[in-house]
């Protein structure tokens, strides 16, 4: 979700963060607050639901105490699902997916809360300036040269008691992070944006990303090792309807099996050559007058197509309606042609046609492939448009084949809510609901049953594996 750097906006957001965690902010240096299991596993019933016959909600865990700000992205390791939150993260035990339990809830505020996991390490994005690296140090301002923004690193070898072990500052903080795993080191592509001449650590043009190297045998020595400029010519700044111009990228999805990446970079979508992980090179760029904010990207399993999303309205507007139409705030599907430096060719748009009310923020957001060998199915979040199952085997004629949709958070005013991310993992769909917590969904559709033969030990949706059925 785009976040303005304006001081007034950040102050309002930080007040919400502070009020949510005021009783739990006294922590030691590089320490984090852990909630008790009883507080973490409190139950409340879900709201009224509309859905297709081939999808069912089998579990819901509300957000634990202290996490009443927005949930964000997800990462998966073994029998655990990690849910990012603007106040920290929550680790869920899904060894029984239909009876999940919270293993730990770590309060360590900083905003955005994008997460990636690598073995026993968790990488967590901090976008709102903090006084220092400590959890609970309190809010600062982007005008403060000593404020901390960037990546926090946790040791999660004990899922019931994560340990905060390191922090790496990055220019403009970290809105999202993407993991690229090497033999001896992890590389984290840090995407951030919204520079200003007022911000000493976030100055324009900021047409770059930061790359952090984390040595696997010494993660506490993690550091920024490269800051490649992706847009030396400045990117797309001239399109009239852009929410933000190109400033680095909003999010990047890597496809290590083919040494390529797709970047959603506010003003444009890009392909990158990542054969040299410290020096990604943009090889192809596309722009679209219908797109206001290139938000995220997902490859097909054969990397012959990519889905880009447009987060029209920054995720805070009611855009799934007849007035907005079927092409704004949609997915755009592009095919890739050519073996070396493939070209992107537009195939179609997809947008849910289940019109939502004027009090429901709704727009294309995060999703992943459903790993049916040889087929192209996609599960995707649409905020208060719910979870959508999309068949795009014909990239020119995508269609929805299933959905799960709650009623509005409020029927009288627009209150931001809905599902931020929905991803398929080892037989179930897991959804990070901004207001209602953690959802587990089960699919019952013969077209999707082949996915049950595909299992992973670890899954970061922005580090896209190439799967094979078993």
């Amino acid at each position: 979700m785009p976040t303005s750097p304006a001081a007034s906006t950040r102050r309002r957001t930080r007040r919400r963060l502070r009020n949510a965690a005021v009783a739990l902010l006294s922590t030691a240096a590089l320490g984090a607050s852990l909630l008790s299991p009883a507080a973490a596993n409190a139950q409340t019933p879900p709201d009224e639901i509309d859905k297709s016959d081939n999808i069912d909600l089998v579990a819901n865990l509300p957000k634990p105490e202290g996490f009443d700000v927005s949930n964000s992205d997800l990462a998966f390791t073994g029998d655990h699902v990690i849910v990012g939150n603007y106040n920290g993260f929550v680790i869920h035990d899904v060894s029984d997916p239909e009876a999940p339990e919270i293993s730990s809830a770590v309060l360590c505020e900083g905003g955005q809360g994008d997460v990636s996991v690598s073995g026993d390490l968790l990488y967590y994005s901090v976008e709102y300036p903090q006084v220092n690296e400590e959890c609970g140090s309190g809010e600062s301002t982007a005008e403060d040269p000593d404020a901390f923004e960037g990546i926090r690193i946790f040791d999660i070898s004990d899922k019931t008691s994560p340990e905060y072990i390191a922090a790496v500052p990055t220019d403009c903080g970290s809105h999202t992070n993407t993991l690229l795993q090497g033999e001896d080191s992890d590389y984290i592509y840090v995407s951030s944006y919204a520079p200003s001449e007022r911000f000493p650590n976030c100055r324009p043009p900021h047409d770059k990303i930061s790359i952090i190297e984390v040595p696997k045998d010494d993660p506490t020595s993690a550091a920024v090792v490269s800051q490649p400029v992706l847009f030396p010519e400045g990117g797309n700044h001239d399109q009239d309807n852009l929410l933000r111009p190109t400033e680095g990228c909003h999010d990047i999805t890597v496809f290590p099996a083919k040494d390529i990446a797709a970047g959603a970079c506010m003003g444009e979508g890009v392909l990158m050559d990542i054969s040299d992980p410290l020096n990604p090179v943009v090889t192809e760029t596309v722009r679209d007058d219908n797109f206001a904010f290139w938000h995220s990207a997902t490859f097909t399993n054969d990397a012959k197509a990519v889905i880009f999303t447009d987060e029209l309205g920054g995720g805070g507007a009611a855009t799934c309606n007849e007035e907005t139409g079927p092409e704004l705030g949609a997915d755009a599907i592009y095919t890739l042609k050519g073996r070396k430096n493939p070209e992107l060719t537009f195939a179609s748009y997809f947008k849910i046609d289940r019109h939502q009310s004027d009090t429901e923020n709704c727009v294309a957001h995060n999703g992943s492939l459903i790993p049916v060998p040889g087929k192209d199915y996609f599960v995707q979040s649409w905020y208060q448009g719910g979870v959508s199952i999309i068949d795009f085997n014909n990239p020119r004629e995508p269609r929805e084949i299933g959905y799960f949709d709650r009623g509005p958070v409020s029927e009288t005013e627009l209150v931001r809510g809905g599902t931020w991310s929905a991803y398929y993992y080892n037989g179930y769909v897991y959804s990070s609901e901004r207001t209602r917590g953690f959802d587990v969904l089960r699919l019952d559709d013969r077209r999707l049953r082949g996915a049950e033969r595909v299992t992973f030990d670890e899954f970061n949706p922005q580090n896209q594996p190439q799967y094979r059925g078993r």
Side-chain angles (χ1 to χ4, degrees):
M1 182 182 71
T3 306
S4 168
S8 60
T9 301
R10 289 191 169 189
R11 283 196 296 271
R12 287 194 299 271
T13 305
R14 292 192 193 100
R15 279 198 295 272
R16 292 195 295 270
L17 293 171
R18 182 181 60 239
N19 292 338
V22 64
L24 293 161
L25 290 182
S26 178
T27 54
L30 295 183
S33 294
L34 285 158
L35 298 183
S36 69
N41 285 293
Q43 293 274 359
T44 59
D47 297 328
E48 183 177 349
I49 290 168
D50 178 31
K51 70 177 189 66
S52 57
D53 292 339
N54 58 353
I55 188 168
D56 288 296
L57 177 70
V58 295
N60 168 264
L61 280 178
K63 294 183 291 186
E65 180 184 353
F67 289 81
D68 55 346
V69 292
S70 180
N71 276 342
S72 56
D73 213 358
L74 304 172
F76 304 81
T77 178
D79 290 332
H80 293 85
V81 182
I82 301 159
V83 179
N85 179 281
Y86 276 54
N87 272 0
F89 61 91
V90 181
I91 301 180
H92 298 79
D93 182 338
V94 295
S95 51
D96 181 352
E98 300 190 16
E101 297 182 349
I102 293 177
S103 297
S104 57
V106 178
L107 281 167
C108 194
E109 66 180 21
Q112 190 62 17
D114 204 32
V115 288
S116 294
V117 63
S118 178
D120 291 333
L121 298 176
L122 173 69
Y123 305 123
Y124 177 91
S125 289
V126 177
E127 185 180 41
Y128 296 158
Q130 305 295 293
V131 170
N132 56 46
E133 297 172 350
E134 300 174 11
C135 295
S137 66
E139 67 184 62
S140 184
T141 69
E143 289 87 351
D144 179 2
D146 297 320
F148 171 74
E149 298 175 277
I151 293 290
R152 286 175 169 145
I153 302 175
F154 293 81
D155 182 332
I156 58 168
S157 53
D158 181 353
K159 303 297 187 295
T160 67
S161 184
E163 180 185 2
Y164 183 10
I165 60 172
V168 183
T170 58
D171 289 353
C172 297
S174 174
H175 190 76
T176 62
N177 74 80
T178 300
L179 175 66
L180 182 61
Q181 292 164 308
E183 184 175 346
D184 299 318
S185 294
D186 286 335
Y187 300 97
I188 306 169
Y189 287 10
V190 177
S191 296
S192 55
Y193 57 95
S196 169
E197 292 290 355
R198 305 192 316 274
F199 303 157
N201 300 320
C202 182
R203 294 190 184 278
H206 193 70
D207 290 322
K208 64 183 182 180
I209 60 173
S210 296
I211 301 178
I212 296 171
E213 181 176 7
V214 185
K216 293 182 179 181
D217 61 355
D218 184 17
T220 60
S221 67
V224 174
V225 293
S226 178
Q227 292 181 300
V229 174
L230 300 181
F231 303 98
E233 304 301 322
N236 186 5
H237 286 244
D238 300 325
Q239 189 174 315
D240 289 339
N241 66 325
L242 290 180
L243 182 63
R244 294 205 66 86
T246 301
E247 300 160 331
C249 288
H250 174 272
D251 208 353
I252 296 170
T253 294
V254 296
F255 198 99
K258 292 186 179 291
D259 284 334
I260 59 174
C265 303
M266 282 83 78
E268 52 212 294
V270 305
L271 285 181
M272 288 180 265
D273 179 341
I274 59 169
S275 53
D276 178 354
L278 297 183
N279 185 36
V281 177
V282 173
T283 59
E284 173 79 340
T285 299
V286 290
R287 299 176 183 178
D288 186 337
D289 289 341
N290 277 326
F291 263 43
F293 191 91
W294 295 74
H295 177 274
S296 54
T298 303
F299 289 99
T300 54
N301 186 56
D302 58 9
K304 292 183 178 179
V306 62
I307 296 178
F308 289 103
T309 67
D310 175 20
E311 196 186 39
L312 177 69
T319 68
C320 295
N321 50 38
E322 186 175 2
E323 179 182 1
T324 306
E327 295 184 352
L328 302 179
D331 298 326
I333 302 173
Y334 284 78
T335 58
L336 278 67
K337 295 184 178 180
R339 289 181 175 272
K340 185 174 177 60
N341 298 333
E343 296 181 355
L344 291 167
T345 301
F346 176 78
S348 66
Y349 295 112
F350 172 82
K351 186 176 180 181
I352 59 172
D353 58 8
R354 297 174 286 103
H355 290 160
Q356 305 293 304
S357 72
D358 290 339
T359 67
E360 292 176 283
N361 59 305
C362 176
V363 74
H365 215 239
N366 293 341
S368 73
L369 294 185
I370 299 174
V372 179
K375 299 293 184 178
D376 293 323
Y377 296 102
F378 189 58
V379 57
Q380 184 176 13
S381 288
W382 290 78
Y383 288 124
Q384 289 195 70
V387 174
S388 178
I389 309 299
I390 303 161
D391 175 346
F392 69 113
N393 286 287
N394 181 347
R396 289 171 178 78
E397 295 184 3
R399 61 194 181 101
E400 183 175 78
I401 62 170
Y403 67 92
F404 173 84
D405 184 7
R406 286 189 176 92
V409 175
S410 170
E411 294 183 348
T412 59
E413 59 180 333
L414 197 156
V415 177
R416 292 191 182 199
T419 175
W420 179 292
S421 298
Y423 302 127
Y424 183 95
Y425 180 70
N426 293 352
Y428 289 83
V429 170
Y430 296 93
S431 169
S432 173
E433 239 277 359
R434 294 183 61 172
T435 59
R436 288 130 166 166
F438 176 64
D439 288 337
V440 185
L441 302 165
R442 183 180 60 227
L443 303 176
D444 184 13
D445 190 309
R446 60 180 178 78
R447 293 166 290 189
L448 308 176
R449 288 174 187 162
E452 297 172 3
R453 300 192 299 270
V454 180
T455 58
F456 298 106
D457 296 324
E458 186 174 279
F459 179 49
N460 296 287
Q462 289 75 42
N463 180 350
Q464 196 171 329
Q466 192 167 35
Y467 58 80
R468 291 174 175 83
R470 296 180 184 176

